[in-house]
Amino acid sequence: MKRMKISLLLLLSLLFATSLLAAIGARAGAANSGPIPPSITVSDAVGTNPGTVYTAGQPQRTVNVAWNAGSDYPYCEIYYTVNSANQTELGREHDGVKPLTVTAGSTYAFWMVVYLGAQGQDVRTVANLTVVAKQGDQPSSPPSGSGGGFSDTISIGKDKDRGSVYRNLFAISNVRVEPGARYVIIRFEGPPNQVPYVAIGRAAPIMKNSEWVFGDNLVGGGFVGPGMVSAEQKAKGEYVFASAAGTTISNDGLEMGTTYHYIITIPAGAGRRPYQDIGSFATLREITTVKVVWEKVLVEDDSDDLSTGEIQFWFWANYGQPSQKYSEYYNGDADSGHTYDINRAVIIENAPNLLALVASGHDHDADFDSDDPNPPAPLKGPSGRSGGDENVAKGEFDLTQSPGNNATVPFRLNSMPGGALKFVIFGHFEITRGTAENTGTTSSALTPEPVKAIGRVKTGAPTGPPISICESARRARARNSPAAPGLEAQCRAAGAAGEVPPVKAIGRVKLPPTGAPPRPICDVAREARARNSPAAPGLEAQCRAVGETPPSEAQAIDVNALAAKGEAIANEDPLAVELRNQQPEGPVRRGFDIGMAAAEGQTLPGPGKDRIRDSLSPAEQEGFTTAVSFSLERNRNAKLAATGAAIAKVDPIVAAARTAGRRRLDVLYGLGFDIATGIFGDPALGAQGNTATGPASLKIRDSLSAAGQRGFDASVKLHLSRKYQP
């Protein structure tokens, strides 16, 4: 019988050692496996897909669900069902971790959705995971303790229950590792009334003189003594090691997001080798989220001596980094000495320790296209050039100087000295810190660890830093993905200069292009809003940038309310009043009022206004089209037109010329005349006072209707013949 015991122990040691080598080899292979596949993981799930989560005898248990979109997808959404019902969104973004409470007896199905194609129209599921929750304890696995290669036993015991035999087979057993961001807690069982020592190292231990040691890779360690466990726990052989208390590890703790190794050592008595167990763990990543709020701007000098400024501001947070975010603000009537509300905010996930803020300002003295979808890169300093003055305000902030989980830090950015345009930006940023648990069982291989001594915290696919939009664009171009053009456009919009260079695809399967024509941005915005995608606000902003009301908003507008609003808008502009009075009373004038409201503040035609028009009767459509054409032309040049109309009221020569060339219904002729007066008229009366036509003024002229161009030409001829004093 004694020989059988010895043979059994030797056989088990060989099996566990073989499993240990296999596990190490598998992990080494995984580390060099190339691109990261999409994955969904659930902490402490065991078994193949479907995995099982045991609730330790309780009806419920909270687990962590982690996901990673891998190398090929910059964004994903995670959904799940409980018992094939009640679809719920769990999370979104490239990677993350969310807690989920599971109920024994229920089945949880998770899946990952990505959006491909130039406009995100190709929706695909790229990862699945099913987990079943069961009430009870997890079945015993082959225990730890073989890491040291010893077959020392405490006792076989008389309990014939097989689990008891395995549970008491080795001196060190039931090791549980609980890592934090900068600490680790290791719980284990061993011989009673001992003083174990736990060492932490940066690399796997090595065998020296028949014992495991770290050598130069030692980080620190400590004894499990008084204050860590009670006398009652020691008597039961239950031990707890905490790296943050009573150890030689640095006061700063362990490094976040780092893999460490441990050696548990328990003396075995005089003349005997100590009992040892080894393993590894990964500390959690600390995620810093920063919300930057641009609150107000004080315009110290608008750089215009005779009028208020038309100032465009561009705000950047962490420009040129993967985490960069952008916003903008325009004030067409900014006056020196006045403060204006900005009320813009951006959120930076996975923020680095250094926050760089930049605010660029440009005063537009010539033409200005507020619909430019490509924001400029931050300015390097103040400048004065043809068309306006520029300046920039910059600041850098070390987030580590604001410790704690939640902190709010005010900031003030002053524009650089030496520029005619001067301003001060006020705001604050809010810092939120948390940890992301990098544990779980991957959806591609739901298998239990063969040996507990290695990888007691099971790691899923490595998350790594977030993939920038430009990197995603390059990868999409390399594989000839139909999403490449859209991603490259987003890359340029994020401030990258020029085209994203195509990369030759090597050893990749090229996806065929869809062949579908580009879809209207407003249609894509509507679909994104319907699925509550985080891309919806940005797509709706692009929809507005082309002069449209997002369809989700347009559908909610009452046409009767539009008509009432449009009449009020028309009454604020003499030219609009004149044009409205020219429309026959009834459906045509009602359509005119609806068009005035639909085009309020917009500068370009688009499908949103077209949908409103198409919903009207033919007579209403006639008035609608007239109002929209007038509004878009006026809105693109609102300040110039207002300046020209004001000059005509005080200069009889200009007023006479303004009406002399007009035909009876040519209100647009008068609009074109006023716009040119704002450019070429008397600077003493508020005009720009240009003395010759050029690319900027001709661009404005060419954007007008035929009647508007005739009025523009007549106005230019008049003003250039008068030779105003500068």
Side-chain angles (χ1 to χ4, degrees):
M1 189 65 170
K2 184 175 181 181
R3 291 180 180 178
M4 290 181 63
K5 288 184 179 180
I6 295 174
S7 300
L8 172 63
L9 296 177
L10 291 174
L11 176 61
L12 288 173
S13 297
L14 288 173
L15 288 174
F16 292 157
T18 303
S19 299
L20 172 61
L21 293 174
I24 295 174
R27 292 176 181 276
N32 299 292
S33 58
I36 302 171
S39 65
I40 305 172
T41 69
V42 174
S43 59
D44 294 330
V46 297
T48 57
N49 199 348
T52 303
V53 172
Y54 294 90
T55 63
Q58 301 300 315
Q60 291 184 323
R61 178 186 177 184
T62 299
V63 296
N64 287 321
V65 181
W67 68 91
N68 189 308
S71 304
D72 290 335
Y73 309 111
Y75 170 83
C76 71
E77 296 174 1
I78 306 299
Y79 297 88
Y80 73 97
T81 60
V82 182
N83 298 327
S84 301
N86 302 324
Q87 175 177 323
T88 305
E89 180 179 329
L90 178 70
R92 55 181 63 180
E93 301 300 339
H94 175 268
D95 56 86
V97 178
K98 286 290 182 69
L100 179 67
T101 300
V102 299
T103 301
S106 296
T107 299
Y108 297 81
F110 304 87
W111 65 96
M112 178 186 296
V113 174
V114 299
Y115 301 93
L116 307 179
Q119 303 292 346
Q121 71 275 15
D122 184 2
V123 182
R124 298 186 186 181
T125 299
V126 295
N128 291 277
L129 174 64
T130 300
V131 171
V132 179
K134 290 187 177 181
Q135 190 166 358
D137 293 323
Q138 179 176 333
S140 299
S141 300
S144 60
S146 63
F150 308 134
S151 59
D152 299 276
T153 64
I154 300 173
S155 66
I156 293 295
K158 297 181 179 181
D159 189 344
K160 296 183 179 181
D161 177 79
R162 184 178 180 184
S164 297
V165 173
Y166 277 84
R167 192 161 48 247
N168 297 321
L169 182 61
F170 292 104
I172 301 173
S173 64
N174 198 20
V175 180
R176 291 145 292 162
V177 182
E178 303 169 16
R182 293 189 176 275
Y183 68 88
V184 65
I185 297 175
I186 303 177
R187 306 176 190 272
F188 57 94
E189 298 174 7
N193 298 314
Q194 300 296 315
V195 183
Y197 185 88
V198 178
I200 305 296
R202 294 186 179 277
I206 59 175
M207 183 68 72
K208 184 177 181 180
N209 297 328
S210 300
E211 292 186 17
W212 289 111
V213 297
F214 282 122
D216 294 339
N217 292 312
L218 177 66
V219 173
F223 288 99
V224 180
M228 299 301 299
V229 295
S230 66
E232 182 181 359
Q233 288 175 310
K234 288 183 63 176
K236 295 180 180 179
E238 298 174 351
Y239 301 99
V240 179
F241 168 82
S243 66
T247 70
T248 60
I249 295 174
S250 167
N251 290 334
D252 293 334
L254 303 174
E255 296 181 10
M256 296 180 292
T258 303
T259 297
Y260 289 94
H261 298 257
Y262 65 81
I263 304 173
I264 302 174
T265 302
I266 299 179
R272 297 186 62 190
R273 292 176 297 176
Y275 302 112
Q276 288 187 305
D277 193 15
I278 63 174
S280 65
F281 63 91
T283 54
L284 306 184
R285 293 182 300 117
E286 184 175 77
I287 296 178
T288 300
T289 300
V290 178
K291 179 180 180 181
V292 181
V293 181
W294 308 88
E295 298 174 354
K296 299 178 182 293
V297 55
L298 167 61
V299 180
E300 295 182 319
D301 191 334
D302 61 31
S303 78
D304 288 341
D305 296 331
L306 301 177
S307 64
T308 57
E310 296 176 287
I311 306 178
Q312 180 81 8
F313 289 97
W314 294 273
F315 306 109
W316 287 99
N318 287 352
Y319 175 78
Q321 302 180 31
S323 61
Q324 69 177 15
K325 289 296 177 68
Y326 155 81
S327 186
E328 63 180 278
Y329 165 76
Y330 173 68
N331 191 320
D333 191 24
D335 198 5
S336 299
H338 287 71
T339 300
Y340 302 95
D341 291 331
I342 300 173
N343 294 328
R344 301 291 191 273
V346 296
I347 296 178
I348 301 174
E349 304 284 355
N350 297 321
N353 288 333
L354 188 64
L355 174 66
L357 302 180
V358 182
S360 299
H362 176 69
D363 176 39
H364 299 271
D365 290 335
D367 62 313
F368 170 63
D369 183 5
S370 62
D371 295 324
D372 183 2
N374 299 313
L379 300 171
K380 295 182 178 180
S383 66
R385 60 182 178 83
S386 176
D389 296 287
E390 297 177 328
N391 209 335
V392 63
K394 303 179 180 180
E396 291 187 345
F397 304 88
D398 184 356
L399 302 184
T400 63
Q401 299 302 309
S402 302
N405 183 38
N406 294 285
T408 299
V409 181
F411 66 81
R412 170 184 174 137
L413 305 179
N414 295 301
S415 58
M416 297 180 67
L421 176 62
K422 300 176 182 178
F423 55 86
V424 182
I425 304 295
F426 299 92
H428 71 273
F429 52 87
E430 303 165 7
I431 308 171
T432 304
R433 294 183 173 92
T435 56
E437 188 173 5
N438 192 29
T439 65
T441 308
T442 65
S443 60
S444 58
L446 277 174
T447 56
E449 294 268 296
V451 180
K452 281 189 175 182
I454 296 295
R456 304 186 189 282
V457 176
K458 304 171 189 175
T459 57
T463 57
I467 302 174
S468 70
I469 191 63
C470 293
E471 178 61 22
S472 298
R474 283 190 287 271
R475 295 182 183 184
R477 176 61 66 191
R479 64 177 184 270
N480 197 28
S481 168
L487 292 172
E488 289 168 350
Q490 294 180 50
C491 175
R492 288 191 291 272
E499 290 284 339
V500 177
V503 181
K504 183 177 180 180
I506 300 177
R508 305 284 301 215
V509 178
K510 296 184 178 181
L511 298 176
T514 61
R519 303 173 63 221
I521 190 64
C522 294
D523 289 347
V524 179
R526 182 180 63 251
E527 294 173 3
R529 176 60 66 191
R531 65 174 183 266
N532 196 29
S533 168
L539 293 170
E540 289 172 345
Q542 295 179 50
C543 179
R544 296 187 192 93
V546 299
E548 278 307 302
T549 300
S552 59
E553 299 173 10
Q555 292 172 357
I557 295 176
D558 187 332
V559 177
N560 292 328
L562 277 178
K565 182 179 180 180
E567 181 178 0
I569 293 172
N571 288 333
E572 296 174 357
D573 185 338
L575 282 178
V577 170
E578 182 179 352
L579 186 58
R580 181 177 186 273
N581 291 337
Q582 292 173 3
Q583 310 307 310
E585 290 187 1
V588 176
R589 186 173 294 183
R590 171 180 164 82
F592 181 93
D593 293 340
I594 296 171
M596 289 296 296
E600 181 187 18
Q602 298 186 17
T603 59
L604 293 172
K609 289 184 285 293
D610 291 345
R611 290 189 187 93
I612 297 175
R613 181 201 60 207
D614 294 343
S615 69
L616 304 177
S617 67
E620 289 173 327
Q621 290 182 11
E622 177 183 347
F624 182 96
T625 301
T626 300
V628 169
S629 299
F630 168 81
S631 296
L632 299 184
E633 207 159 293
R634 180 197 58 184
N635 294 344
R636 285 195 294 266
N637 308 281
K639 186 174 182 180
L640 292 173
T643 300
I647 291 174
K649 289 181 179 180
V650 299
D651 189 331
I653 296 177
V654 173
R658 182 174 182 260
T659 58
R662 287 181 55 187
R663 299 172 183 171
R664 188 173 66 87
L665 297 179
D666 270 354
V667 172
L668 294 177
Y669 178 101
L671 178 60
F673 192 101
D674 290 343
I675 293 170
T677 297
I679 300 172
F680 299 95
D682 189 350
L685 298 177
Q688 294 180 5
N690 291 18
T691 58
T693 58
S697 60
L698 292 177
K699 177 183 177 182
I700 294 175
R701 176 197 179 276
D702 294 341
S703 69
L704 302 177
S705 63
Q709 291 181 14
R710 290 198 304 271
F712 188 98
D713 294 341
S715 180
V716 171
K717 183 176 180 180
L718 168 67
H719 293 297
L720 295 186
S721 69
R722 300 185 73 184
K723 302 186 185 302
Y724 300 111
Q725 293 296 321

